[in-house]
């Protein structure tokens, strides 16, 4: 599969853009574990134009993680064009437009999935950005605003006409947020449209090798993995093996703990000790290494409340060295 001049090979598996998750360190780890393409956290057009440090920091790309997309979001064509031009100077491989974020602070203000209620403006933004930059422009969106307005089959054609190079479809409506199950039948209908010639990337409920294989049965050109990778970037190793038919060698417990420690250290190094630990708590809270351990409640609370690197590392070491071997 290709996006513009980016050759991603057969059955590519991509890391979804996720706020407060897909920082540079996490993207690189996912790439090493098998992700074929990575996406930055979504970047606010307005904040980027105002040169907010926390936002501009998201633009940094490690050469080893490429190909990488910078994803931007906003609600007006002018600022989105300006932000796209700033993002382009950061040197990504493509620019992605977020028309799928369902959270109230984004969609409620008319950006992200909020634009599913204003398709003319969505198309205006898309066309303006695609015309303004030299890089390929892609879009990530949802099926529609709610179950009564699943507009994605027709919308996909309209977005293609605006000049995008690929389309990612999350198989839920905005109203569903992340509840229920992803509607892969509708994603398949998007791909089956003979008038659609751009690659279609499917997203939603891909959590294992088995679900990844089923996702490709819908006919999509690529798949995108999101929440299943939080706290478990090694899921890409399983998924990539499954979709390519290669033998899967699961990572050892020691390898998984090494990845967790690396994420902690790199998060602290990227920001600072206090904020770096706050950032990594989201990964630790859902990491499968710490699930199902008997009588783990107090240790879990201590792990998620630790506010120094030494304290957190001592708890991680204790779990690996003393708790898990005794089970």
């Amino acid at each position: 599969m290709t996006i513009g001049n980016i050759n991603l090979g057969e059955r590519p598996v991509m890391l979804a853009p996720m706020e407060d998750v897909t920082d540079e360190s996490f993207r690189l780890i996912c790439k090493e574990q098998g992700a074929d393409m990575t996406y930055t956290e979504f970047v606010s057009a307005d904040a980027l134009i105002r040169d907010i440090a926390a936002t501009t920091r998201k633009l940094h790309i490690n050469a080893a993680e490429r190909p990488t997309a910078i994803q931007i979001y906003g609600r007006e064509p002018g600022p989105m064009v300006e932000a796209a031009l700033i993002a382009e100077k950061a040197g990504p491989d493509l620019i992605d437009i977020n028309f799928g974020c369902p959270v109230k602070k984004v969609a409620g203000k008319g950006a992200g999935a909020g634009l599913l209620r204003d398709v003319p403006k969505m198309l205006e933004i898309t066309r303006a950005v695609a015309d303004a930059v030299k890089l390929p422009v892609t879009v990530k969106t949802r099926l529609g605003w709610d179950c009564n307005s699943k507009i994605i089959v027709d919308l996909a054609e309209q977005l293609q006409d605006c000049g995008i190079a690929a389309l990612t479809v999350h198989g839920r409506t905005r109203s569903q947020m992340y509840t229920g199950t992803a509607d892969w039948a509708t994603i398949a209908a998007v791909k089956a449209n003979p008038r659609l010639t751009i690659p279609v990337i499917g997203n939603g409920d891909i959590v294992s090798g088995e679900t990844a294989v089923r996702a490709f049965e819908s006919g999509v050109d690529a798949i995108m993995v999101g929440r299943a990778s939080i706290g478990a970037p090694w899921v890409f190793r399983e998924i990539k093996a499954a979709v390519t038919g290669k033998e899967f060698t699961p990572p050892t417990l020691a390898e998984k703990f090494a990845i967790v420690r690396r994420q902690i250290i790199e998060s602290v190094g990227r920001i600072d000790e206090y904020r770096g630990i706050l950032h990594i708590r989201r990964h630790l809270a859902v990491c499968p290494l710490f699930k199902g351990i008997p009588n783990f409640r107090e240790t879990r609370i201590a792990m998620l409340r630790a506010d120094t690197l030494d304290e957190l590392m001592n708890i991680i070491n204790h779990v690996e060295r003393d708790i898990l071997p005794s089970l």
Side-chain angles (χ1 to χ4, degrees):
M1 186 194 88
T2 59
I3 299 177
N5 61 355
I6 305 167
N7 187 346
L8 296 167
E10 294 292 325
R11 292 190 157 198
V13 180
M14 303 178 176
L15 169 65
M18 292 176 283
E19 177 67 358
D20 292 328
V21 174
T22 53
D23 59 39
E24 179 186 341
S25 169
F26 185 69
R27 298 194 308 266
L28 181 56
I29 291 170
C30 289
K31 175 72 173 182
E32 293 168 356
Q33 292 296 310
D36 294 295
M37 184 167 182
T38 62
Y39 288 67
T40 65
E41 302 170 73
F42 58 73
V43 176
S44 163
D46 292 338
L48 195 56
I49 292 167
R50 297 200 307 271
D51 198 29
I52 303 299
T55 300
T56 57
R57 186 165 56 234
K58 296 177 182 179
L59 301 183
H60 187 265
I61 294 168
N62 188 314
E65 69 172 285
R66 291 184 183 274
T68 302
I70 290 176
Q71 188 187 71
I72 59 174
Y73 75 95
R75 60 185 178 181
E76 296 295 340
M80 283 291 281
V81 166
E82 190 174 349
L85 291 169
I86 294 171
E88 185 175 43
K89 290 179 182 178
D93 297 282
L94 61 85
I95 302 292
D96 189 69
I97 304 176
N98 181 324
F99 292 140
C101 179
V103 300
K104 186 175 181 179
K105 69 177 183 179
V106 175
K109 295 180 179 179
L115 283 156
L116 288 163
R117 294 195 292 183
D118 191 348
V119 171
K121 182 176 281 188
M122 177 193 287
L123 299 177
E124 183 184 1
I125 290 171
T126 305
R127 187 175 294 107
V129 171
D131 288 344
V133 299
K134 297 181 177 63
L135 291 173
V137 173
T138 60
V139 161
K140 186 173 189 288
T141 189
R142 289 181 169 235
L143 305 181
W145 180 258
D146 56 31
C147 64
N148 296 315
S149 59
K150 291 186 177 182
I151 60 174
I152 189 60
V153 175
D154 291 335
L155 178 60
E157 279 191 59
Q158 294 173 293
L159 290 166
Q160 175 178 261
D161 292 343
C162 291
I164 66 171
L167 173 68
T168 301
V169 181
H170 181 108
R172 289 180 173 85
T173 64
R174 187 274 171 182
S175 295
Q176 284 181 276
M177 301 293 284
Y178 297 101
T179 63
T181 57
D183 178 0
W184 278 86
T186 301
I187 296 176
V190 174
K191 179 57 187 175
N193 182 354
R195 293 183 294 276
L196 199 71
T197 59
I198 59 174
V200 175
I201 304 157
N203 174 226
D205 295 346
I206 300 172
V207 299
S208 64
E210 181 182 359
T211 53
V213 170
R214 285 204 303 267
F216 271 112
E217 291 172 356
S218 69
V220 293
D221 301 284
I223 58 173
M224 184 175 281
V225 179
R227 289 174 293 159
S229 68
I230 304 175
W234 49 82
V235 73
F236 282 100
R237 190 187 299 191
E238 175 190 349
I239 289 173
K240 193 63 182 174
V243 301
T244 58
K246 295 181 180 178
E247 183 179 354
F248 171 52
T249 303
T252 65
L253 200 60
E255 287 177 307
K256 291 178 180 179
F257 271 98
I259 289 173
V260 169
R261 290 189 185 90
R262 174 180 168 187
Q263 284 189 257
I264 295 168
I265 291 169
E266 291 183 357
S267 180
V268 168
R270 183 175 62 89
I271 317 173
D272 56 46
E273 185 172 48
Y274 176 73
R275 291 181 299 162
I277 289 173
L278 285 180
H279 170 79
I280 210 64
R281 283 177 184 169
R282 182 170 183 181
H283 294 265
L284 295 175
V286 298
C287 182
L289 287 174
F290 308 112
K291 289 188 175 181
I293 301 176
N295 305 313
F296 191 66
R297 184 174 182 273
E298 290 187 8
T299 304
R300 178 184 178 83
I301 291 172
M303 179 176 69
L304 296 179
R305 287 181 176 174
D307 55 11
T308 69
L309 182 59
D310 285 344
E311 182 184 3
L312 181 53
M313 283 301 196
N314 284 336
I315 295 170
I316 298 296
N317 293 340
H318 172 58
V319 174
E320 182 184 19
R321 183 186 63 241
D322 303 324
I323 294 179
L324 289 180
S326 67
L327 298 179

